[in-house]
Amino acid sequence: MSVKKKPLVVVTRKLPDSIETRMRELFDARINLDDTPMSPEQIAEAARTADVLVPTVTDHISAEVVNQPDCKLRLIANFGNGVDNIDVTAAHARGITVTNTPKVLTEDTADMTMALILAVPRRMIEGASILTDGKPWAGWSPTWMLGHRIGGKRLGIIGMGRIGQAVARRARAFGLQIHYHNRRPVAPVIAEELGATYWESLDQMLARMDIISVNCPHTPATYHLLSARRLKLIRKDAYIVNTARGEVTDEDTLIKLIEGGEIGGAGLDVYEHEPAVNPKLVRLAKAGKVTLLPHMGSATIEGRVEMGEKVIINIRTFLDAHKPPDRVLPSML
């Protein structure tokens, strides 16, 4: 009796142990145990040998990769919600299915967004460094380390999808007034629940907000959505929080405006040229002007395991000749 050959699945980064174990059980899985990012040449080689590729946000799956004459890929099962790291159009044209892991990290990312909304105006990281960096502290003072109250302030959310709405729910509980810009207004029942004010004009919203939260995906249409011109519309005492993608913001202009006192500060979990972080941002962080995190917004054990489970479901469904539940088409982007 012949044994059916398992499909070859190449995983580009280290995943939770439980997910890797299950993949080994189900597939001929090549696991990246030391978590060293694969080079473009290694990714191209994987496309020539694997039936399924499981990349992450750090892996660029270009048109050149999928258009190799001997590309063997049938499925790209992305470990992540965003697919801006994949040329979906080129993959689709080549007959390669692309999937992602949506609806898993909404609450985790919203939690981190809210943490930055609190941390920046209240100077939390700056205050914590007084104790951890061995700086002198004379005790409580009525005028020392004063930040700003967030209750009653206006929060402008850019992108009112699942994460934007989750941020709005948290922010409303802290007494913030919810405003948002989106391609179209949310359903009236959601707007009423959140007490949210819709702005068709992003320019007009930016000029009126106390805190701005970036929660839109990175697409060609949102690249530098917060352009130099738009950043200059923001009030001098306002803050920007970005847990979405660094490419949405013109980072160089943001730095210049914060350095010049034209914007109050920022809380950033993502960067335009990630993993590189602009040294000027680091200096601003040391000066207490910005709060920087190393792309931790979705970093929970529960979230990573759920992402892996979705990847496995998408692979198994595809291999069973059914439409994967999280298929991504070019028309959806």
Side-chain angles (χ1 to χ4, degrees):
M1 180 178 176
S2 63
V3 178
K4 185 178 180 181
K5 183 180 179 182
K6 292 181 178 180
L8 175 59
V9 175
V10 172
V11 184
T12 65
R13 299 297 297 268
K14 176 96 177 79
L15 302 184
D17 287 347
S18 62
I19 299 302
E20 290 184 339
T21 300
R22 188 61 177 147
M23 283 189 170
R24 285 184 179 274
E25 292 171 347
L26 294 170
F27 318 119
D28 176 10
R30 291 185 187 173
I31 306 298
N32 186 345
L33 293 176
D34 64 4
D35 202 32
T36 302
M38 293 176 68
S39 68
E41 292 75 21
Q42 289 173 319
I43 290 176
E45 172 62 21
R48 294 193 294 269
T49 57
D51 300 291
V52 180
L53 182 66
V54 181
T56 70
V57 66
T58 62
D59 305 302
H60 183 52
I61 315 302
S62 65
E64 288 74 20
V65 169
V66 300
N67 285 329
Q68 297 176 95
D70 49 354
C71 178
K72 188 182 176 184
L73 285 180
R74 298 160 56 201
L75 171 66
I76 301 173
N78 198 45
F79 184 87
N81 183 33
V83 290
D84 49 305
N85 58 310
I86 302 168
D87 192 323
V88 177
T89 301
H92 182 70
R94 187 65 186 262
I96 302 170
T97 299
V98 177
T99 62
N100 65 344
T101 59
K103 303 179 184 179
V104 171
L105 304 174
T106 298
E107 303 302 323
D108 297 329
T109 305
D111 284 345
M112 190 62 81
T113 304
M114 195 65 221
L116 286 172
I117 289 172
L118 290 166
V120 177
R122 292 304 307 272
R123 303 172 67 179
M124 288 184 186
I125 304 302
E126 186 183 358
S129 70
I130 298 297
L131 304 179
T132 58
D133 293 351
K135 300 174 184 177
W137 180 49
W140 182 87
S141 166
T143 57
W144 184 69
M145 285 297 293
L146 298 181
H148 290 279
R149 176 185 297 165
I150 69 164
K153 299 297 193 299
R154 293 185 175 90
L155 172 66
I157 297 173
I158 301 175
M160 202 62 154
R162 288 186 297 270
I163 294 174
Q165 291 174 33
V167 170
R169 291 187 180 93
R170 287 158 174 75
R172 195 177 188 202
F174 279 87
L176 285 153
Q177 298 178 38
I178 308 303
H179 297 251
Y180 74 99
H181 169 77
N182 207 40
R183 286 183 296 177
R184 60 184 66 87
V186 298
V189 64
I190 295 175
E192 183 177 355
E193 173 202 347
L194 300 174
T197 300
Y198 173 65
W199 292 85
E200 183 176 1
S201 168
L202 177 57
D203 290 6
Q204 291 183 18
M205 185 183 82
L206 291 174
R208 293 165 170 82
M209 297 297 108
D210 301 297
I211 304 170
I212 295 152
S213 178
V214 180
N215 298 109
C216 62
H218 171 224
T219 68
T222 62
Y223 175 76
H224 278 197
L225 183 67
L226 288 182
S227 61
R229 179 188 67 79
R230 283 192 168 124
L231 287 169
K232 291 174 184 177
L233 298 174
I234 296 171
R235 292 166 39 185
K236 291 186 177 182
D237 58 350
Y239 299 85
I240 295 176
V241 169
N242 189 355
T243 56
R245 286 288 189 268
E247 294 89 343
V248 177
T249 303
D250 182 338
E251 195 171 271
D252 288 338
T253 299
L254 175 64
I255 291 169
K256 290 176 183 177
L257 292 174
I258 295 175
E259 287 177 332
E262 298 301 311
I263 290 180
L268 306 176
D269 187 43
V270 290
Y271 307 92
E272 185 170 354
H273 304 292
E274 197 171 314
V277 178
N278 193 312
K280 292 180 180 179
L281 277 176
V282 177
R283 287 198 293 271
L284 285 171
K286 291 179 178 179
K289 297 292 185 181
V290 302
T291 295
L292 305 179
L293 295 176
H295 205 144
M296 294 169 56
S298 61
T300 67
I301 295 170
E302 297 86 349
R304 293 289 190 254
V305 170
E306 288 182 30
M307 288 170 70
E309 289 170 347
K310 271 187 171 283
V311 168
I312 291 172
I313 290 170
N314 281 319
I315 295 174
R316 293 192 70 182
T317 306
F318 176 82
L319 294 175
D320 287 340
H322 298 295
K323 185 183 296 183
D326 302 311
R327 186 181 183 191
V328 179
L329 300 173
S331 60
M332 299 165 61
L333 304 177

Short mmCIF file of all heavy atoms in Angstrom, two decimals, residues 160-209:
data_model
loop_
_atom_site.label_atom_id
_atom_site.label_comp_id
_atom_site.label_asym_id
_atom_site.label_seq_id
_atom_site.Cartn_x
_atom_site.Cartn_y
_atom_site.Cartn_z
N MET A 160 -11.18 53.10 10.38
CA MET A 160 -12.18 52.63 11.35
C MET A 160 -12.63 51.22 11.02
O MET A 160 -13.81 50.92 10.94
CB MET A 160 -13.36 53.59 11.37
CG MET A 160 -14.19 53.53 12.65
SD MET A 160 -13.26 53.96 14.09
CE MET A 160 -14.62 54.55 15.15
N GLY A 161 -11.65 50.34 10.81
CA GLY A 161 -11.95 48.93 10.63
C GLY A 161 -12.07 48.26 11.99
O GLY A 161 -12.40 48.89 12.99
N ARG A 162 -11.78 46.95 12.02
CA ARG A 162 -11.92 46.21 13.27
C ARG A 162 -11.04 46.79 14.37
O ARG A 162 -11.49 46.97 15.51
CB ARG A 162 -11.58 44.74 13.04
CG ARG A 162 -12.63 43.97 12.24
CD ARG A 162 -12.30 42.50 12.18
NE ARG A 162 -11.05 42.25 11.49
CZ ARG A 162 -10.94 42.03 10.18
NH1 ARG A 162 -12.02 42.04 9.42
NH2 ARG A 162 -9.77 41.80 9.63
N ILE A 163 -9.77 47.08 14.05
CA ILE A 163 -8.87 47.58 15.08
C ILE A 163 -9.24 49.00 15.48
O ILE A 163 -9.27 49.33 16.68
CB ILE A 163 -7.41 47.52 14.58
CG1 ILE A 163 -6.98 46.06 14.40
CG2 ILE A 163 -6.48 48.23 15.56
CD1 ILE A 163 -5.60 45.90 13.78
N GLY A 164 -9.56 49.84 14.51
CA GLY A 164 -9.97 51.21 14.83
C GLY A 164 -11.18 51.24 15.75
O GLY A 164 -11.23 52.03 16.70
N GLN A 165 -12.15 50.38 15.50
CA GLN A 165 -13.34 50.33 16.35
C GLN A 165 -13.00 49.81 17.75
O GLN A 165 -13.54 50.29 18.75
CB GLN A 165 -14.40 49.45 15.70
CG GLN A 165 -15.01 50.06 14.44
CD GLN A 165 -15.96 49.12 13.73
OE1 GLN A 165 -16.65 48.33 14.38
NE2 GLN A 165 -16.02 49.20 12.40
N ALA A 166 -12.09 48.83 17.82
CA ALA A 166 -11.68 48.31 19.13
C ALA A 166 -10.94 49.39 19.92
O ALA A 166 -11.11 49.49 21.15
CB ALA A 166 -10.80 47.08 18.95
N VAL A 167 -10.14 50.18 19.24
CA VAL A 167 -9.47 51.30 19.91
C VAL A 167 -10.50 52.31 20.41
O VAL A 167 -10.41 52.81 21.55
CB VAL A 167 -8.47 51.99 18.95
CG1 VAL A 167 -7.95 53.31 19.54
CG2 VAL A 167 -7.30 51.06 18.63
N ALA A 168 -11.49 52.60 19.58
CA ALA A 168 -12.52 53.57 19.96
C ALA A 168 -13.27 53.12 21.21
O ALA A 168 -13.58 53.94 22.09
CB ALA A 168 -13.50 53.77 18.79
N ARG A 169 -13.58 51.83 21.32
CA ARG A 169 -14.29 51.34 22.50
C ARG A 169 -13.45 51.54 23.76
O ARG A 169 -13.97 51.94 24.81
CB ARG A 169 -14.65 49.86 22.32
CG ARG A 169 -15.71 49.63 21.25
CD ARG A 169 -16.18 48.19 21.21
NE ARG A 169 -17.19 48.02 20.16
CZ ARG A 169 -16.93 47.65 18.91
NH1 ARG A 169 -15.68 47.37 18.56
NH2 ARG A 169 -17.90 47.55 18.02
N ARG A 170 -12.18 51.24 23.67
CA ARG A 170 -11.30 51.44 24.82
C ARG A 170 -11.18 52.93 25.16
O ARG A 170 -11.25 53.32 26.33
CB ARG A 170 -9.92 50.84 24.53
CG ARG A 170 -9.91 49.32 24.55
CD ARG A 170 -8.72 48.77 23.75
NE ARG A 170 -8.61 47.32 23.87
CZ ARG A 170 -9.41 46.45 23.26
NH1 ARG A 170 -10.40 46.89 22.49
NH2 ARG A 170 -9.24 45.16 23.42
N ALA A 171 -10.96 53.73 24.14
CA ALA A 171 -10.75 55.15 24.37
C ALA A 171 -11.98 55.82 24.96
O ALA A 171 -11.88 56.71 25.81
CB ALA A 171 -10.36 55.83 23.05
N ARG A 172 -13.16 55.38 24.51
CA ARG A 172 -14.38 55.98 25.05
C ARG A 172 -14.51 55.69 26.54
O ARG A 172 -14.98 56.53 27.31
CB ARG A 172 -15.60 55.45 24.30
CG ARG A 172 -16.84 56.30 24.58
CD ARG A 172 -18.04 55.83 23.79
NE ARG A 172 -19.13 56.77 23.95
CZ ARG A 172 -20.40 56.46 23.76
NH1 ARG A 172 -20.73 55.23 23.42
NH2 ARG A 172 -21.34 57.38 23.90
N ALA A 173 -14.06 54.52 26.97
CA ALA A 173 -14.11 54.18 28.40
C ALA A 173 -13.19 55.08 29.22
O ALA A 173 -13.41 55.26 30.42
CB ALA A 173 -13.72 52.72 28.59
N PHE A 174 -12.18 55.66 28.57
CA PHE A 174 -11.28 56.58 29.26
C PHE A 174 -11.72 58.03 29.12
O PHE A 174 -11.00 58.94 29.51
CB PHE A 174 -9.85 56.42 28.71
CG PHE A 174 -9.11 55.26 29.29
CD1 PHE A 174 -9.22 53.99 28.73
CD2 PHE A 174 -8.30 55.41 30.41
CE1 PHE A 174 -8.54 52.91 29.26
CE2 PHE A 174 -7.61 54.34 30.94
CZ PHE A 174 -7.74 53.08 30.37
N GLY A 175 -12.90 58.24 28.55
CA GLY A 175 -13.44 59.59 28.47
C GLY A 175 -13.01 60.39 27.27
O GLY A 175 -13.23 61.61 27.22
N LEU A 176 -12.41 59.75 26.28
CA LEU A 176 -12.02 60.47 25.07
C LEU A 176 -13.21 60.63 24.13
O LEU A 176 -14.10 59.78 24.08
CB LEU A 176 -10.91 59.70 24.34
CG LEU A 176 -9.52 59.80 24.97
CD1 LEU A 176 -8.69 58.59 24.63
CD2 LEU A 176 -8.81 61.06 24.50
N GLN A 177 -13.23 61.72 23.39
CA GLN A 177 -14.24 61.95 22.37
C GLN A 177 -13.74 61.33 21.07
O GLN A 177 -12.62 61.60 20.64
CB GLN A 177 -14.49 63.45 22.18
CG GLN A 177 -15.01 64.13 23.43
CD GLN A 177 -15.19 65.63 23.22
OE1 GLN A 177 -15.61 66.07 22.15
NE2 GLN A 177 -14.88 66.41 24.23
N ILE A 178 -14.57 60.52 20.45
CA ILE A 178 -14.14 59.72 19.30
C ILE A 178 -14.48 60.40 17.98
O ILE A 178 -15.64 60.74 17.72
CB ILE A 178 -14.79 58.32 19.33
CG1 ILE A 178 -14.57 57.66 20.69
CG2 ILE A 178 -14.25 57.47 18.20
CD1 ILE A 178 -13.12 57.52 21.10
N HIS A 179 -13.46 60.60 17.17
CA HIS A 179 -13.61 61.10 15.80
C HIS A 179 -12.88 60.12 14.88
O HIS A 179 -11.96 59.42 15.32
CB HIS A 179 -13.00 62.50 15.67
CG HIS A 179 -13.67 63.54 16.50
ND1 HIS A 179 -14.45 64.54 15.96
CD2 HIS A 179 -13.69 63.72 17.85
CE1 HIS A 179 -14.91 65.31 16.94
NE2 HIS A 179 -14.46 64.84 18.09
N TYR A 180 -13.26 60.07 13.63
CA TYR A 180 -12.57 59.15 12.73
C TYR A 180 -12.66 59.58 11.28
O TYR A 180 -13.59 60.29 10.87
CB TYR A 180 -13.11 57.73 12.89
CG TYR A 180 -14.49 57.48 12.28
CD1 TYR A 180 -14.63 56.88 11.02
CD2 TYR A 180 -15.65 57.85 12.95
CE1 TYR A 180 -15.88 56.65 10.47
CE2 TYR A 180 -16.91 57.63 12.41
CZ TYR A 180 -17.02 57.02 11.16
OH TYR A 180 -18.27 56.80 10.62
N HIS A 181 -11.65 59.14 10.52
CA HIS A 181 -11.64 59.29 9.07
C HIS A 181 -11.52 57.90 8.47
O HIS A 181 -10.70 57.09 8.91
CB HIS A 181 -10.47 60.16 8.60
CG HIS A 181 -10.26 60.13 7.11
ND1 HIS A 181 -11.04 60.84 6.24
CD2 HIS A 181 -9.37 59.44 6.35
CE1 HIS A 181 -10.64 60.62 5.00
NE2 HIS A 181 -9.62 59.77 5.03
N ASN A 182 -12.35 57.63 7.47
CA ASN A 182 -12.38 56.31 6.84
C ASN A 182 -12.80 56.51 5.40
O ASN A 182 -13.27 57.59 5.02
CB ASN A 182 -13.39 55.42 7.58
CG ASN A 182 -13.07 53.94 7.46
OD1 ASN A 182 -11.91 53.54 7.53
ND2 ASN A 182 -14.08 53.11 7.30
N ARG A 183 -12.62 55.48 4.59
CA ARG A 183 -13.07 55.60 3.19
C ARG A 183 -14.56 55.87 3.11
O ARG A 183 -15.03 56.54 2.21
CB ARG A 183 -12.71 54.34 2.41
CG ARG A 183 -11.25 54.22 2.08
CD ARG A 183 -10.96 52.99 1.25
NE ARG A 183 -11.25 51.76 1.97
CZ ARG A 183 -11.15 50.54 1.46
NH1 ARG A 183 -10.78 50.39 0.20
NH2 ARG A 183 -11.43 49.47 2.19
N ARG A 184 -15.30 55.32 4.08
CA ARG A 184 -16.74 55.57 4.14
C ARG A 184 -17.17 55.50 5.61
O ARG A 184 -16.48 54.87 6.43
CB ARG A 184 -17.50 54.54 3.30
CG ARG A 184 -17.29 53.11 3.74
CD ARG A 184 -17.99 52.14 2.79
NE ARG A 184 -17.38 52.15 1.47
CZ ARG A 184 -16.34 51.40 1.12
NH1 ARG A 184 -15.79 50.59 2.01
NH2 ARG A 184 -15.85 51.45 -0.10
N PRO A 185 -18.28 56.11 5.96
CA PRO A 185 -18.73 56.05 7.35
C PRO A 185 -19.06 54.63 7.79
O PRO A 185 -19.47 53.80 6.98
CB PRO A 185 -20.00 56.93 7.35
CG PRO A 185 -19.90 57.78 6.12
CD PRO A 185 -19.16 56.95 5.11
N VAL A 186 -18.88 54.35 9.07
CA VAL A 186 -19.29 53.05 9.61
C VAL A 186 -20.80 53.01 9.71
O VAL A 186 -21.49 54.03 9.55
CB VAL A 186 -18.65 52.81 10.99
CG1 VAL A 186 -17.13 52.78 10.88
CG2 VAL A 186 -19.11 53.85 12.01
N ALA A 187 -21.34 51.84 9.95
CA ALA A 187 -22.79 51.69 10.07
C ALA A 187 -23.31 52.58 11.20
O ALA A 187 -22.64 52.76 12.22
CB ALA A 187 -23.13 50.23 10.35
N PRO A 188 -24.50 53.16 11.03
CA PRO A 188 -25.05 54.06 12.05
C PRO A 188 -25.09 53.45 13.44
O PRO A 188 -24.84 54.15 14.43
CB PRO A 188 -26.46 54.35 11.52
CG PRO A 188 -26.34 54.18 10.04
CD PRO A 188 -25.37 53.08 9.83
N VAL A 189 -25.38 52.15 13.55
CA VAL A 189 -25.46 51.53 14.87
C VAL A 189 -24.10 51.53 15.56
O VAL A 189 -23.99 51.71 16.78
CB VAL A 189 -26.03 50.09 14.77
CG1 VAL A 189 -25.10 49.18 13.97
CG2 VAL A 189 -26.30 49.52 16.15
N ILE A 190 -23.02 51.38 14.78
CA ILE A 190 -21.67 51.40 15.35
C ILE A 190 -21.29 52.83 15.74
O ILE A 190 -20.74 53.07 16.82
CB ILE A 190 -20.65 50.83 14.35
CG1 ILE A 190 -20.94 49.35 14.09
CG2 ILE A 190 -19.22 51.02 14.85
CD1 ILE A 190 -20.07 48.72 13.03
N ALA A 191 -21.60 53.78 14.86
CA ALA A 191 -21.31 55.17 15.17
C ALA A 191 -22.02 55.62 16.44
O ALA A 191 -21.46 56.34 17.28
CB ALA A 191 -21.70 56.06 13.99
N GLU A 192 -23.25 55.17 16.60
CA GLU A 192 -24.02 55.54 17.80
C GLU A 192 -23.42 54.88 19.04
O GLU A 192 -23.29 55.53 20.09
CB GLU A 192 -25.47 55.11 17.63
CG GLU A 192 -26.37 55.52 18.80
CD GLU A 192 -27.82 55.15 18.58
OE1 GLU A 192 -28.15 54.66 17.48
OE2 GLU A 192 -28.63 55.35 19.51
N GLU A 193 -23.04 53.62 18.92
CA GLU A 193 -22.44 52.92 20.06
C GLU A 193 -21.18 53.62 20.53
O GLU A 193 -20.93 53.74 21.74
CB GLU A 193 -22.12 51.48 19.66
CG GLU A 193 -21.34 50.69 20.72
CD GLU A 193 -20.58 49.52 20.14
OE1 GLU A 193 -20.82 49.16 18.97
OE2 GLU A 193 -19.71 48.98 20.86
N LEU A 194 -20.36 54.07 19.58
CA LEU A 194 -19.07 54.65 19.91
C LEU A 194 -19.14 56.16 20.12
O LEU A 194 -18.14 56.77 20.55
CB LEU A 194 -18.06 54.35 18.79
CG LEU A 194 -17.79 52.87 18.51
CD1 LEU A 194 -16.90 52.70 17.31
CD2 LEU A 194 -17.19 52.20 19.73
N GLY A 195 -20.29 56.75 19.83
CA GLY A 195 -20.39 58.21 19.89
C GLY A 195 -19.39 58.86 18.96
O GLY A 195 -18.76 59.87 19.29
N ALA A 196 -19.22 58.26 17.78
CA ALA A 196 -18.15 58.65 16.87
C ALA A 196 -18.60 59.68 15.84
O ALA A 196 -19.67 59.57 15.24
CB ALA A 196 -17.61 57.42 16.16
N THR A 197 -17.74 60.66 15.61
CA THR A 197 -17.97 61.70 14.61
C THR A 197 -17.14 61.40 13.37
O THR A 197 -15.91 61.22 13.46
CB THR A 197 -17.59 63.08 15.15
OG1 THR A 197 -18.38 63.36 16.31
CG2 THR A 197 -17.81 64.17 14.11
N TYR A 198 -17.80 61.33 12.21
CA TYR A 198 -17.11 61.01 10.96
C TYR A 198 -16.62 62.27 10.26
O TYR A 198 -17.34 63.27 10.18
CB TYR A 198 -18.06 60.26 10.03
CG TYR A 198 -17.51 60.01 8.64
CD1 TYR A 198 -16.40 59.20 8.45
CD2 TYR A 198 -18.10 60.59 7.52
CE1 TYR A 198 -15.89 58.95 7.19
CE2 TYR A 198 -17.60 60.36 6.24
CZ TYR A 198 -16.49 59.54 6.08
OH TYR A 198 -15.98 59.30 4.84
N TRP A 199 -15.38 62.21 9.77
CA TRP A 199 -14.80 63.30 8.99
C TRP A 199 -14.48 62.77 7.59
O TRP A 199 -13.62 61.90 7.46
CB TRP A 199 -13.53 63.84 9.64
CG TRP A 199 -13.77 64.54 10.94
CD1 TRP A 199 -13.88 63.97 12.18
CD2 TRP A 199 -13.94 65.94 11.12
NE1 TRP A 199 -14.11 64.94 13.13
CE2 TRP A 199 -14.14 66.16 12.51
CE3 TRP A 199 -13.93 67.04 10.25
CZ2 TRP A 199 -14.34 67.43 13.04
CZ3 TRP A 199 -14.12 68.30 10.79
CH2 TRP A 199 -14.32 68.49 12.16
N GLU A 200 -15.16 63.27 6.60
CA GLU A 200 -14.83 62.89 5.23
C GLU A 200 -13.47 63.44 4.84
O GLU A 200 -12.70 62.81 4.11
CB GLU A 200 -15.90 63.40 4.27
CG GLU A 200 -15.67 62.99 2.82
CD GLU A 200 -16.80 63.44 1.91
OE1 GLU A 200 -17.75 64.09 2.38
OE2 GLU A 200 -16.72 63.13 0.71
N SER A 201 -13.14 64.63 5.36
CA SER A 201 -11.86 65.27 5.08
C SER A 201 -10.86 64.94 6.18
O SER A 201 -11.02 65.35 7.33
CB SER A 201 -12.03 66.79 4.99
OG SER A 201 -10.77 67.44 5.00
N LEU A 202 -9.81 64.21 5.82
CA LEU A 202 -8.75 63.91 6.78
C LEU A 202 -8.05 65.20 7.21
O LEU A 202 -7.71 65.36 8.39
CB LEU A 202 -7.74 62.95 6.15
CG LEU A 202 -6.51 62.60 7.00
CD1 LEU A 202 -6.91 62.00 8.34
CD2 LEU A 202 -5.58 61.67 6.23
N ASP A 203 -7.86 66.12 6.29
CA ASP A 203 -7.20 67.38 6.62
C ASP A 203 -7.93 68.11 7.74
O ASP A 203 -7.32 68.60 8.70
CB ASP A 203 -7.14 68.30 5.39
CG ASP A 203 -6.17 67.79 4.33
OD1 ASP A 203 -5.63 66.67 4.49
OD2 ASP A 203 -5.95 68.52 3.34
N GLN A 204 -9.24 68.21 7.61
CA GLN A 204 -10.01 68.92 8.61
C GLN A 204 -9.96 68.23 9.97
O GLN A 204 -9.89 68.88 11.01
CB GLN A 204 -11.45 69.08 8.14
CG GLN A 204 -11.61 70.03 6.95
CD GLN A 204 -13.06 70.23 6.55
OE1 GLN A 204 -13.97 69.93 7.33
NE2 GLN A 204 -13.27 70.71 5.34
N MET A 205 -9.99 66.90 9.98
CA MET A 205 -9.93 66.18 11.24
C MET A 205 -8.58 66.39 11.92
O MET A 205 -8.51 66.66 13.13
CB MET A 205 -10.17 64.69 11.03
CG MET A 205 -10.24 63.92 12.35
SD MET A 205 -10.46 62.11 12.17
CE MET A 205 -8.75 61.62 11.85
N LEU A 206 -7.50 66.26 11.15
CA LEU A 206 -6.17 66.38 11.74
C LEU A 206 -5.96 67.70 12.45
O LEU A 206 -5.33 67.76 13.51
CB LEU A 206 -5.10 66.22 10.65
CG LEU A 206 -4.95 64.84 10.02
CD1 LEU A 206 -3.96 64.88 8.87
CD2 LEU A 206 -4.50 63.82 11.05
N ALA A 207 -6.51 68.75 11.90
CA ALA A 207 -6.29 70.09 12.46
C ALA A 207 -7.02 70.30 13.78
O ALA A 207 -6.74 71.29 14.48
CB ALA A 207 -6.74 71.14 11.44
N ARG A 208 -7.91 69.39 14.15
CA ARG A 208 -8.77 69.61 15.32
C ARG A 208 -8.55 68.61 16.45
O ARG A 208 -9.16 68.75 17.50
CB ARG A 208 -10.24 69.58 14.89
CG ARG A 208 -10.64 70.75 14.00
CD ARG A 208 -11.98 70.48 13.32
NE ARG A 208 -12.49 71.66 12.64
CZ ARG A 208 -12.12 72.06 11.43
NH1 ARG A 208 -11.21 71.37 10.77
NH2 ARG A 208 -12.64 73.14 10.88
N MET A 209 -7.69 67.61 16.25
CA MET A 209 -7.56 66.54 17.22
C MET A 209 -6.45 66.79 18.24
O MET A 209 -5.47 67.48 17.96
CB MET A 209 -7.29 65.21 16.51
CG MET A 209 -8.41 64.75 15.59
SD MET A 209 -9.98 64.44 16.46
CE MET A 209 -10.94 65.85 15.89
#
